[in-house]
Amino acid sequence: MTKFEALGLQKSLLDAITDMGFETPSEVQEKAIPILLESETDLVALAQTGTGKTAAFGFPLIQKIDSNSRTTQGLILSPTRELCLQITKEMQAYSKYERNINVVAIYGGASITDQARQIKRGAQIIVATPGRMKDMISRRLVDISSIDYCILDEADEMLNMGFMEDIKDILSGTPDEKSTWLFSATMPREVATIAKKFMHSPQEITVGAKNSGASTVQHEYYVVGGRDRYPALKRLADTNPDIFAVIFCRTKRDTQKVAENLIEDGYNAGALHGDLSQNQRDLVMNSFRKRQIQMLVATDVAARGIDVDDITHVINYQLPDEIETYTHRSGRTGRAGKSGISMVLVTRGEQRKIRAIENKINQKFELKKVPSGMEICGIQLHHLANKIKDTETNSDVDPYLPEINEILEGIDREELIKKLISAEFTRFSNYYSKSKDLNSSDSGRDRERSDGRRGGEIPTSGAVRYFINVGEKDGYDWMSLKDFIRDTVGLGQEDVFKVDVKESFSFFNTESESTQQILEKFTEFKVDGRFVNVEVSKNPGGGGNRRSGGSGGGFRGKRSGGRRDDDRGGRGRRDGGGESKGRRRDRSESSSPNSGKRRSTKRKGDFF
Ligand code: ADP
Ligand code: MG
């Protein structure tokens, strides 16, 4: 007897389960299925995303439906169209050996008459979004007045999305004697209210700790400057060449922008948000499922309930407002027992939010460093070597080999490998050689405070950016200013970098080890009778010190060109706007080592 059989499931379901390749029931299935099969009861089941809730209600529902009657007996409400279709598909797969069970999906954005026609043919089970369902009820296109089972799936999501009133209205037209099964990842107050109001002494099952994220998910955070989110995102992607990720932004605008930037920089990315037509969204989702898109940039609403297995990373480009939302986001990875990583990009000021999430999900975040350019080069080469090793040779190249061998004649194996690898390495190192440290210094929980002479906090690690009140009009260019600072302070050849000379002031960087020395040297320091003043400006990661809102920071807005604010400023769509070309900026991490490489695998027109 299989474990599924032991739960009391009938033969037709067991056969379908075998076909689907499920071997053992998940915990929520093990707990919910016997209860639902054996009794007519209301049930509240709390289980994290990806724990198999669909089958936990789907199997018993199918078993309990009377397939000889064509009346609608079961109603499943779910928050989004995507989920609706997903559940419908699953239910159809579960019931494939049942002859007469019809499962019909009802959702917005598609022809209501088509859906009404399908219902009319007899649908024992309806899977619906609340909005469209209400609409169809009011037009008398469906009849749920005699259902036996009502399932509220992803109840917390539905309430998050403001479906409370619709759900109340829908439930008010259903019989009192029906059983209501509520499935949810979390139990916010609104869900408890629904349970209290519409359910009769429900049994409760909980899988894992309440409100906790999936334990197979590892949580990491990176502290970066607000303007460095985008370059940091790219480094995280470059560090994980096989990444298959959902990237969450807070707004549709950011979502679109980040996706466009990624595409322009040669990544296989796509956007998913509510301003896209349903057709566009379907295209993006299909490409993502087929892995033609490696990075799906999405809003929370659009990504609700996305059921794509094997997502390796969830990247929180920005943190959501609600901690619950973080749980949903991170639940997109680590599904079906697989492991996954949820990464969060935060600014220094947002670090307290990490503490709040830790408390809520009862899991620790690991503070990680955005990898340096050189680390990424190493990872990419390692990846390349493995890829070459695993490449299956293609006999189509045979005709060209004699000529190629001739060209490469006399180069021994070692040298050939070195050349091959160098070709790749140079591409990456050219790109990353001038890259800065993206980690906001002073990011630790137990950060040291060293009170500088000027009363501001001096960063104790990473690169430090300074403001100096001399510039072009004092006769400096970047080279001569670099020499001047170096000689004055007594630093080494490479110790002063990123010198940026403006008309009447300039910026430069050093490592934080030199900060004390520099500030000391430029205390009441005069050149030709004039005070030359140096202040810590803004460290390259965007943090810095409390003066950054003052003089140093005050100049930031005036700087032109060369800014690394890759995540700012809207570039138009390449296919429509025509705005982009003229506005390409000179950004140090603007293009990507991937440009023109990965891009060949997809066409932008497919996604926008
Ligand atoms: P939830 O609704 O809890 O987020 P789903 O019902 O969408 O989770 O299931 C997540 C994934 O796990 C789906 O791909 C589903 O097919 C798969 N799955 C569900 N139950 C099992 C099982 N017992 N064994 C293997 N895979 C399962
Ligand atoms: Mg689900």
Side-chain angles (χ1 to χ4, degrees), residues 53-54 57 83 86-87 153-154 335:
K53 293 192 288 293
T54 317
F57 62 75
L83 270 178
Q86 214 167 275
I87 295 168
D153 188 29
E154 315 270 355
R335 292 171 74 82

Side-chain angles (χ1 to χ4, degrees), residues 45-270:
L46 297 181
Q48 299 141 11
T49 314
T51 50
K53 293 192 288 293
T54 317
F57 62 75
F59 293 161
L61 181 62
I62 287 166
Q63 187 152 332
K64 294 191 141 192
I65 290 294
D66 175 5
S67 58
N68 295 319
S69 156
R70 287 166 30 118
T71 327
T72 299
Q73 300 157 53
L75 170 66
I76 302 168
L77 290 177
S78 101
T80 64
R81 169 198 151 109
E82 273 78 20
L83 270 178
C84 222
L85 287 168
Q86 214 167 275
I87 295 168
T88 306
K89 253 198 222 145
E90 293 247 340
M91 298 295 287
Q92 284 162 349
Y94 304 163
S95 60
K96 70 191 259 202
Y97 295 111
E98 287 284 341
R99 233 171 297 143
N100 289 320
I101 291 197
N102 270 332
V103 186
V104 172
I106 295 217
Y107 49 84
S111 158
I112 200 164
T113 36
D114 284 354
Q115 291 174 357
R117 204 172 301 130
Q118 289 184 52
I119 298 284
K120 235 177 160 179
R121 279 192 230 124
Q124 293 98 338
I125 299 174
I126 293 177
V127 188
T129 52
R132 174 55 66 96
M133 189 64 200
K134 216 185 126 187
D135 200 4
M136 292 192 74
I137 293 170
S138 66
R139 297 199 207 180
R140 300 181 191 286
L141 296 172
V142 285
D143 176 11
I144 50 166
S145 62
S146 54
I147 58 168
D148 302 308
Y149 307 99
C150 178
I151 291 115
L152 304 173
D153 188 29
E154 315 270 355
D156 50 355
E157 303 254 24
M158 282 199 283
L159 297 175
N160 266 343
M161 292 173 74
F163 283 134
M164 178 73 105
E165 289 309 312
D166 287 348
I167 293 172
K168 281 186 192 164
D169 286 353
I170 294 166
L171 292 181
S172 70
T174 60
D176 274 344
E177 319 78 63
K178 70 175 182 305
S179 299
T180 305
W181 308 341
L182 183 152
F183 284 77
S184 188
T186 57
M187 188 74 171
R189 210 181 42 245
E190 296 81 3
V191 175
T193 310
I194 285 266
K196 211 161 159 194
K197 217 166 162 162
F198 294 100
M199 300 172 80
H200 308 293
S201 43
Q203 301 207 39
E204 262 197 53
I205 59 176
T206 303
V207 170
K210 274 185 192 174
N211 288 346
S212 79
S215 60
T216 43
V217 179
Q218 219 175 298
H219 303 266
E220 301 177 348
Y221 73 106
Y222 297 80
V223 184
V224 299
R227 290 153 194 270
D228 284 331
R229 285 185 206 274
Y230 182 70
L233 170 68
K234 285 202 302 181
R235 288 202 197 172
L236 295 178
D238 287 341
T239 316
N240 298 284
D242 292 321
I243 196 166
F244 184 54
V246 183
I247 296 156
F248 285 98
C249 297
R250 282 158 62 113
T251 64
K252 292 182 222 173
R253 209 172 135 260
D254 285 346
T255 303
Q256 180 69 26
K257 212 166 55 193
V258 169
E260 282 181 15
N261 287 349
L262 285 172
I263 290 166
E264 192 148 311
D265 287 343
Y267 297 85
N268 300 323

Side-chain angles (χ1 to χ4, degrees), residues 408 411-422:
L408 300 177
I411 306 176
D412 67 19
R413 177 189 140 93
E414 214 154 286
E415 200 182 343
L416 190 62
I417 291 178
K418 193 164 172 185
K419 278 181 189 288
L420 189 69
I421 296 287
S422 297

Side-chain angles (χ1 to χ4, degrees), residues 462-521:
V464 179
R465 193 141 181 87
Y466 305 83
F467 163 83
I468 183 166
N469 64 338
V470 294
E472 271 161 18
K473 72 174 172 39
D474 306 293
Y476 289 105
D477 63 12
W478 69 269
M479 245 188 310
S480 57
L481 184 65
K482 183 172 174 157
D483 289 342
F484 162 67
I485 295 164
R486 225 175 42 205
D487 296 342
T488 306
V489 185
L491 296 170
Q493 183 63 32
E494 300 306 324
D495 290 347
V496 177
F497 50 100
K498 294 230 171 83
V499 180
D500 197 358
V501 178
K502 304 290 168 203
E503 245 250 291
S504 54
F505 56 89
S506 311
F507 295 94
F508 64 95
N509 281 21
T510 72
E511 289 304 325
S512 58
E513 294 87 82
S514 310
T515 305
Q516 203 66 34
Q517 211 178 333
I518 287 184
L519 295 182
E520 240 146 51
K521 192 73 207 179

